[in-house]
């Protein structure tokens, strides 16, 4: 089995075998918030998640509040290095790891997910879309499929101007933002059906294995 169409395609390319796509189970009510925050949020500030891209966006848009949420197990050395890099940026708020998703997404006007590695699913995108929060993401792995019409994707190797332009469009253009927010909600509604179908497929797969 594979957790996304991207993972299935990569598995087929590497092994010549097919895989059944079963999307991760998402408890939608856990992530739903009834208010729209005022910040661009970024979760898990490590290199492969695109922390350097976020740093450059924060420098380019000092008027845009950005909240950075740590991940569990972030080392003291890396935390200190990151906080040193972001020092002096008054628009950046560094937040500790949080076990309440509604606290995180309650702050969000926009999700930043500029991963530089190939995300096999992109769960944070799905979590944000439950409340209609658009995403600015890279084009790596499964992210383009997950974001869909619910945000904008930029080539991971693009120049800073491309990232700044996409951020500006989502942050400043009300029509672009409204369109992507509505697209995020539609993508989340579709995902509810995908999860339900995936559970049925998983049960059928277990039954097939048990009958062998």
């Amino acid at each position: 089995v594979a957790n996304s169409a991207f993972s299935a395609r990569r598995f087929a390319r590497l092994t010549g075998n097919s895989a059944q796509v079963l999307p991760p189970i998402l408890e939608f009510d856990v992530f739903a918030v009834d208010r729209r925050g005022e910040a661009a949020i970024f979760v898990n500030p490590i290199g492969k998640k695109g922390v350097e891209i976020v740093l450059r966006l924060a420098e380019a848009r000092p008027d845009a509040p950005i909240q950075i949420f740590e991940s569990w197990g972030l080392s003291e050395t890396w935390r200190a290095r990151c906080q040193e890099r972001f020092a002096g940026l008054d628009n950046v708020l560094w937040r500790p790891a949080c076990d309440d998703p509604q606290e995180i997404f309650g702050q969000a006007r926009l999700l930043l997910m500029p991963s530089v590695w190939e995300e096999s699913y992109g769960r944070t995108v799905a979590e944000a879309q439950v409340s209609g929060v658009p995403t600015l993401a890279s084009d790596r792995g499964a992210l383009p499929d997950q974001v869909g019409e619910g945000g904008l994707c930029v080539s991971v190797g693009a120049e800073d101007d491309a990232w700044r332009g996409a951020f500006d469009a989502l942050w400043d253009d009300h029509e672009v933002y409204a369109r992507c927010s509505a697209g995020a909600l539609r993508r989340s509604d579709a995902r509810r059906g995908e999860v339900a179908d995936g559970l049925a497929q998983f049960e059928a797969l277990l039954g097939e294995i048990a009958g062998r």
Side-chain angles (χ1 to χ4, degrees):
V1 297
N3 63 344
S4 67
F6 165 77
S7 296
R9 291 193 299 268
R10 179 54 57 87
F11 179 70
R13 184 188 307 170
L14 292 174
T15 69
N17 297 309
S18 61
Q20 183 172 344
V21 177
L22 298 177
I25 296 173
L26 199 67
E27 295 180 81
F28 292 87
D29 292 343
V30 171
F31 304 99
V33 294
D34 57 7
R35 63 188 176 93
R36 187 60 51 85
E38 298 297 329
I41 66 167
F42 175 58
V43 181
N44 197 0
I46 58 177
K48 64 186 179 183
K49 293 292 187 178
V51 66
E52 291 293 334
I53 295 174
V54 173
L55 172 63
R56 295 195 294 272
L57 284 172
E59 291 172 334
R61 288 297 306 258
D63 61 312
I66 296 175
Q67 294 192 24
I68 298 176
F69 286 85
E70 290 185 15
S71 55
W72 302 109
L74 197 69
S75 72
E76 291 291 340
T77 301
W78 183 253
R79 179 187 295 109
R81 179 179 178 184
C82 285
Q83 291 179 335
E84 181 181 359
R85 295 294 307 279
F86 283 89
L89 294 177
D90 294 334
N91 58 323
V92 175
L93 177 63
W94 192 273
R95 304 284 301 272
C98 178
D99 60 3
D100 181 2
Q102 292 181 336
E103 169 62 22
I104 297 174
F105 294 112
Q107 312 299 319
R109 182 182 176 207
L110 176 67
L111 172 68
L112 302 176
M113 200 165 179
S115 296
V116 299
W117 76 326
E118 292 184 320
E119 296 281 352
S120 65
Y121 182 73
R123 184 182 175 90
T124 311
V125 174
E127 295 169 353
Q129 287 181 341
V130 171
S131 301
V133 175
T135 301
L136 173 58
S138 69
D139 62 349
R140 297 289 280 169
L143 288 178
D145 290 338
Q146 292 301 322
V147 173
E149 59 181 341
L152 300 175
C153 289
V154 178
S155 172
V156 72
E159 299 293 334
D160 288 350
D161 286 348
W163 283 101
R164 167 71 186 271
F167 185 94
D168 291 351
L170 281 167
W171 197 261
D172 299 325
D173 191 318
H174 297 298
E175 291 185 5
V176 173
Y177 184 89
R179 183 177 70 246
C180 290
S181 178
L185 287 173
R186 287 193 295 271
R187 184 69 189 90
S188 186
D189 286 343
R191 194 174 283 113
R192 290 175 186 268
E194 293 171 2
V195 170
D197 291 344
L199 284 171
Q201 293 170 15
F202 183 60
E203 290 176 351
L205 184 61
L206 290 178
E208 179 182 340
I209 293 172
R212 291 178 179 175

